[in-house]
Amino acid sequence: MQGASREHTAALKRLGATVHQVRLPEDLVGIDALVIPGGESTTISMLLESSGTFEPIAQLLHEGLPVLGTCAGMILLAGDVLDGRPDQKSFAQIDIAVRRNGFGRQVASFESDIRIKGFEEPFPGVFIRAPVVQTVDRSVEVLASVELDGGKQSPALCRQGNVMVSSFHPELTDDLRIHQMFLTNIN
Ligand code: GLN
């Protein structure tokens, strides 16, 4: 619909997946998994509604379709959205609360190497006007965290059941490990 879908497509294709873009409800037929990219969650929310894809996607997610949401995609999957626009919708598929643009203006965009559970080498985390995860339910697995101003750690990569979300942009790096992990968990 909007956002960094081309980069996700390229990453997944490099790993051998067959990928197409979802713009209309019929594009959802036969898919095994979904990626909701970074971009602008308010715009994506509006386009999901106007294209008639919001309800069918909500249904598929409810049935357990594996989904990866990055940045704006994380916001669109979060159970609670703070500082959102009142009319913005969420699929509410993962029990986390996120604050839109939560890193503040001065540190709106930055890169930080992050440690991810199960990865030996750090991952290059690209954060662009990213959401800050404020709370996570106990049933959510936190796979990586990022340091906030003042030294507090905040979850940056989380998984709950079929849902995986990151506040950073793995698709904007050459590092395919997160896409690989997502594809591995589909089967
Ligand atoms: N700030 C954006 C939003 O609220 C997310 C930014 C991003 O996806 N890079 O949707």
Side-chain angles (χ1 to χ4, degrees):
M1 306 251 159
Q2 192 256 356
S5 58
R6 252 188 327 164
E7 291 82 353
H8 274 295
T9 301
L12 292 165
K13 280 190 171 165
R14 277 173 65 196
L15 291 166
T18 306
V19 191
H20 68 250
Q21 304 219 340
V22 173
R23 294 180 189 281
L24 295 168
E26 50 264 40
D27 298 329
L28 295 164
V29 175
I31 62 170
D32 298 311
L34 181 70
V35 176
I36 307 180
E40 186 50 58
S41 57
T42 53
T43 307
I44 299 174
S45 165
M46 213 173 61
L47 293 171
L48 283 165
E49 288 258 63
S50 61
S51 62
T53 47
F54 188 90
E55 285 308 326
I57 290 175
Q59 181 61 32
L60 288 171
L61 295 177
H62 179 71
E63 289 165 8
L65 182 78
V67 63
L68 169 66
T70 58
C71 204
M74 171 189 253
I75 298 169
L76 282 152
L77 289 162
D80 259 313
V81 179
L82 310 169
D83 291 344
R85 242 182 35 193
D87 60 343
Q88 104 175 76
K89 289 181 78 170
S90 158
F91 293 112
Q93 284 294 312
I94 182 162
D95 292 324
I96 60 174
V98 299
R99 186 174 299 282
R100 276 183 74 215
N101 303 325
F103 285 94
R105 268 172 200 231
Q106 270 161 354
V107 285
S109 299
F110 60 95
E111 287 191 35
S112 171
D113 274 355
I114 51 180
R115 288 253 155 228
I116 297 182
K117 238 191 208 174
F119 291 3
E120 272 186 21
E121 298 298 323
F123 194 92
V126 178
F127 293 80
I128 305 171
R129 293 183 301 107
V132 168
V133 177
Q134 304 275 60
T135 58
V136 296
D137 187 76
R138 248 190 296 169
S139 52
V140 174
E141 192 184 357
V142 176
L143 298 169
S145 295
V146 62
E147 193 172 311
L148 303 178
D149 266 358
K152 203 178 152 216
Q153 298 283 322
S154 166
L157 179 66
C158 303
R159 188 164 58 192
Q160 185 179 33
N162 56 313
V163 184
M164 189 158 90
V165 291
S166 69
S167 53
F168 56 93
H169 288 265
E171 79 284 8
L172 299 184
T173 69
D174 282 336
D175 198 320
L176 296 173
R177 286 177 294 168
I178 288 179
H179 290 90
Q180 179 69 70
M181 174 163 68
F182 177 59
L183 289 180
T184 305
N185 288 341
I186 289 173
N187 301 316

